[in-house]
Amino acid sequence: SEESKSKIKVAILACLLSRMGKIETYFVAVQIKKFHDQISRTSSLVRTFAEVYDIDSKMLERLISMHSMTDVAWLVENDKPLVEFQRLLPFRTFRPMLAAKWSKKYQFPSVAEAKYDGIRLILHKSGNRIQCFSRRRKNYTYKFPFITNFRDLIPAFSIIIDGEIVGIKFTPTGPRYANVYEMHDAINHNMGNFTFRYVIFDVLYLNGFELVKLPYSKRRQIRHQIAQSIQLAIKQRGLSPGVEIQEVESIDINSKDQLIRAYNHFLDTGCEGAIVKNPKGEYVMGKRSPFWFKLKPKETLDVAISGIIPLQSPSGIRVWGIRYAIKKEMKFINLGMIRGIDQQAGTRLAELLIMNGLLPQQPKLVDLGKEIEHLGRFSGLHEKMGIEVEPQIVITIDSLEIGRASCRERV
């Protein structure tokens, strides 16, 4: 089982780390750092590191979100007080909490908030000093110097705000939200047809106190008070800080129907989707948390089947793989191939082909991949041999999976 495999991995790693000296520990730390974005903070490697050095796993996850793994290994090796180094402080950078994929088991009540296609930006302020950092802990103050104009508007001596820079692009058809690539172009090339807006998601630290352990409902109240105070200060002083600043739009939801309405509202206003938050959830730095879920439209593409890879099974013939194409200027262009179609979808496709007479009378195997530029990992000849068919069955591809199939008179 997966649990048994995980225990074996942990045991092997524990044995390995228990025999390591400083050089070996440093090497493993560098490897963890190298794959920092690819591995989970609760992976076997991190759990084993915690067990071998008798560190609380949650503390280790938090340390990794705030420091490089090399630095964490050095702290452990030199018996430094880890509690001091895992404290949240202004200008001690960290990787923010990320939203997990939507779960159908999600519970209500919850809060739906607008999801933007912007640049994550963590704002740190203490006294007269203010800086902003990216989700990867890089100092982005030089990219967004106007952030320093908020220094005298924020009603706190010290604060850490989690938010996002959103771009408003002015076009001949009116203003719209820019995507993240357009924003980077605008920043790098000083384009003048953009207005930037800083949207506040969360408040994590305030005047010497950490807020990450508070339930989100309480942090939301604090966020609202901070945002209102900033807007009032801008209005009273008649200031233009060089960028708009606002609190993220949020809607309380108590049912699936309310969630759908809120989600569609965000899409209608040009947002990328919604973030659904648990009112009782804490803020967990450096990982995808079960307290936040993201809802985005699925990326789909309607294509025509131009070839099939058949498979003889005990229940009859079914389609195991397909070649798909799109129509451009009255001509079909083959784009790619999909293999490993499940039995139910493959059987349904075979039925559609037979019922509509789309198979050649004398089918012969040909190389379906010869006209496709990128075949990916399926490059073996036996995985490309199939039958060419009339491109009249249209399927919807969702992340390279068949979402639906239908036969049309003519594509």
Side-chain angles (χ1 to χ4, degrees), residues 57-72:
S57 59
K58 290 186 177 180
M59 179 186 286
L60 182 59
E61 289 175 9
R62 182 164 161 138
L63 282 167
I64 293 172
S65 74
M66 304 174 83
H67 308 277
S68 71
M69 197 59 201
T70 306
D71 291 339
V72 173

Side-chain angles (χ1 to χ4, degrees), residues 2 19 27 56 63 75 143-144 189 198-199 206 208 210 217 222 224 231 257 260 275 293 315 335 355 375 386 390 397:
E2 289 298 322
R19 293 179 288 169
F27 174 78
D56 179 75
L63 282 167
L75 292 172
K143 281 194 173 188
F144 305 100
H189 300 98
Y198 185 64
V199 182
L206 184 62
E210 276 193 27
S217 57
I222 296 171
H224 184 64
Q231 294 298 334
D257 289 341
I260 293 172
I275 300 291
F293 291 92
S315 57
L335 293 183
M355 288 170 53
L375 288 170
E390 285 289 324
I397 298 177

